């Protein structure tokens, strides 16, 4: 964990929000104890975290809430990132699903439906958390940044996408002791998605083969762009 492309996939992907998702809001995912005398600098924390980031792996818990607050879907799985522009989300509950970005296209495989949808990676990722983490370009190229003080002991930063044609309108990221902790995403329909990361490993050795999607036999294969 998105409407345009994300919304189509969103009905199934609410339980496992797709690329925009994922990697979208993907997520509440950050916490840092701040000194009471000075306001923590979330912008500096974010830039420092992205600096030197080559790869990432983590377990995640994703909570998606509808705009009216009437529906909540929770899912869990494992996330892998290999910069630049490669990532993989393996959703385990409530439905088995896999999202793979190979650097040019994003594949969403719903194992229960035996269906694969794929589309242009750039088109899907503009303004999303996935773009934030996967791209090696300066974060200011894609987002307007501002510090937040939530009073919860975390260091927060808010990101507003500069791209107008995006499903995501706002991201909020939190760090704890310099580690990615929470990620919140709001889409243009008012839907909120939160990612909480655990067992996070920075710069693990990941094989490029993990980010090559192999078309499964017997599944529908649909191009949506």
């Amino acid at each position: 964990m998105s409407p345009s492309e994300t919304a189509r996939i969103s009905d199934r992907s609410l339980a496992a929000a797709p690329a925009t998702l994922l990697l979208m809001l993907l997520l509440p995912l950050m916490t840092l104890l701040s000194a009471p005398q000075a306001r923590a600098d979330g912008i500096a924390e974010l830039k420092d975290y992205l600096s030197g980031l080559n790869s990432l792996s983590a377990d995640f818990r994703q909570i998606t809430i509808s705009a009216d607050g009437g529906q909540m879907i929770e899912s869990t799985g494992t996330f892998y990132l290999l910069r630049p522009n490669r990532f993989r989300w393996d959703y385990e509950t409530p439905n088995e699903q896999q999202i793979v970005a190979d650097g040019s296209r994003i594949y969403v495989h719903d194992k229960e439906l035996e269906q694969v949808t794929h589309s242009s990676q750039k088109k899907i990722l503009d303004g999303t958390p996935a773009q934030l983490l996967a791209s090696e370009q300066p974060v200011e190229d894609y987002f307007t940044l501002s510090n937040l003080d939530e009073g919860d002991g975390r260091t927060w930063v808010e990101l507003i996408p500069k791209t107008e044609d995006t499903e995501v309108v706002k991201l909020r990221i939190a760090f704890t002791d310099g580690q990615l902790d929470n990620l919140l995403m709001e889409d243009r329909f008012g839907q909120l998605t939160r990612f909480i990361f655990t067992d996070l490993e920075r710069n693990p050795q990941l094989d490029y083969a993990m980010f090559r999607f192999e078309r499964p036999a017997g599944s529908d294969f649909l191009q949506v762009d």
Side-chain angles (χ1 to χ4, degrees):
M1 49 354 91
S2 77
S4 147
E5 190 33 294
T6 299
R8 298 185 192 174
I9 309 171
S10 143
D11 288 341
R12 285 297 299 172
S13 281
L14 259 190
T20 284
L21 10 179
L22 302 134
L23 323 272
M24 296 179 96
L25 244 180
L26 264 134
L27 333 178
L29 313 168
M30 308 150 206
T31 309
L32 177 107
L33 297 175
S34 55
Q37 312 94 306
R39 180 171 178 173
D41 189 343
I43 296 175
E45 189 87 22
L46 174 62
K47 290 181 179 180
D48 183 63
Y49 188 81
L50 294 176
S51 176
L53 179 65
N54 301 313
S55 60
L56 200 63
S57 68
D59 293 334
F60 70 88
R61 178 181 169 214
Q62 177 182 317
I63 301 168
T64 302
I65 302 173
S66 61
D68 62 4
Q71 181 182 24
M72 181 179 79
I73 297 177
E74 183 173 344
S75 51
T76 60
T78 307
F79 168 65
Y80 304 94
L81 170 74
L82 184 63
R83 301 177 86 189
N85 303 321
R86 289 173 173 80
F87 58 82
R88 190 173 109 187
W89 298 76
D90 291 335
Y91 285 86
E92 299 167 357
T93 63
N95 300 304
E96 252 194 296
Q97 191 174 64
Q98 185 179 72
I99 300 167
V100 178
D102 65 7
S104 61
R105 298 194 69 75
I106 288 180
Y107 301 86
V108 180
H109 180 201
D110 189 313
K111 297 184 180 181
E112 183 179 341
L113 293 181
E114 296 187 330
Q115 177 177 287
V116 177
T117 57
H118 62 101
S119 57
S120 164
Q121 185 163 320
K122 184 182 185 308
K123 181 178 179 181
I124 286 288
L125 292 191
D126 276 352
T128 70
Q131 181 185 53
L132 168 67
L133 293 173
S135 175
E136 292 184 322
Q137 298 299 312
V139 63
E140 303 95 324
D141 287 0
Y142 304 108
F143 299 94
T144 299
L145 310 177
S146 59
N147 287 316
L148 293 176
D149 185 0
E150 297 295 320
D152 62 356
R154 294 175 171 88
T155 300
W156 287 89
V157 58
E158 181 175 84
L159 303 91
I160 305 298
K162 291 184 176 179
T163 302
E164 294 184 3
D165 185 21
T166 178
E167 303 304 332
V168 180
V169 298
K170 183 187 300 181
L171 296 176
R172 290 186 174 187
I173 296 176
F175 295 90
T176 299
D177 295 332
Q179 293 298 314
L180 181 67
D181 177 72
N182 272 252
L183 193 156
L184 289 167
M185 180 181 73
E186 180 180 344
D187 68 26
R188 64 178 178 174
F189 297 102
Q191 177 175 278
L192 297 175
T193 301
R194 178 169 214 143
F195 294 89
I196 302 166
F197 297 107
T198 56
D199 294 331
L200 190 147
E201 185 178 356
R202 181 183 174 87
N203 292 337
Q205 286 290 115
L206 298 178
D207 195 311
Y208 277 94
M210 293 179 63
F211 307 92
R212 286 197 294 267
F213 185 78
E214 301 292 337
R215 180 174 178 174
S219 292
D220 295 329
F221 201 66
L222 309 173
Q223 181 171 334
V224 292
D225 64 350

